[in-house]
Amino acid sequence: MDLDAKTIRMIWALVETLNPISLLKLSDGELIQKLIDEIEKVSFLSQEDSQALSKYIRSKTALIRDLADTKF
């Protein structure tokens, strides 16, 4: 399953709105789970969707940390 544009926009909106200090303190696994949990609060994710989302976020963790660091 490929992620749709709406889900990708939600991820980056979350990264922009979540507390950057909190994001920087999380391990990669915790960061991925935090973002997935936040997405699941507003959108149903199947197991397949969750795995695709996890893979996408994992590939972007360095960028997410860079963005959080610039906001800190």
Side-chain angles (χ1 to χ4, degrees):
M1 144 119 221
D2 291 324
L3 296 176
D4 62 12
K6 178 184 172 187
T7 304
I8 292 172
R9 282 193 300 271
M10 278 196 282
I11 294 165
W12 293 107
L14 280 170
V15 170
E16 288 292 321
T17 59
L18 292 173
N19 182 333
I21 297 169
S22 297
L23 293 179
L24 292 171
K25 289 181 179 180
L26 299 173
S27 70
D28 286 355
E30 292 169 331
L31 175 63
I32 292 164
Q33 193 58 54
K34 169 79 172 164
L35 292 173
I36 290 173
D37 289 347
E38 293 294 324
I39 295 289
E40 286 180 329
K41 288 179 182 177
V42 296
S43 180
F44 172 78
L45 293 177
S46 68
Q47 182 66 28
E48 183 179 287
D49 294 340
S50 184
Q51 289 173 347
L53 186 56
S54 177
K55 185 176 179 180
Y56 175 80
I57 296 169
R58 183 170 303 283
S59 73
K60 305 297 183 196
T61 53
L63 179 57
I64 292 168
R65 291 186 187 287
D66 286 346
L67 288 172
D69 194 44
T70 61
K71 290 174 57 179
F72 176 63

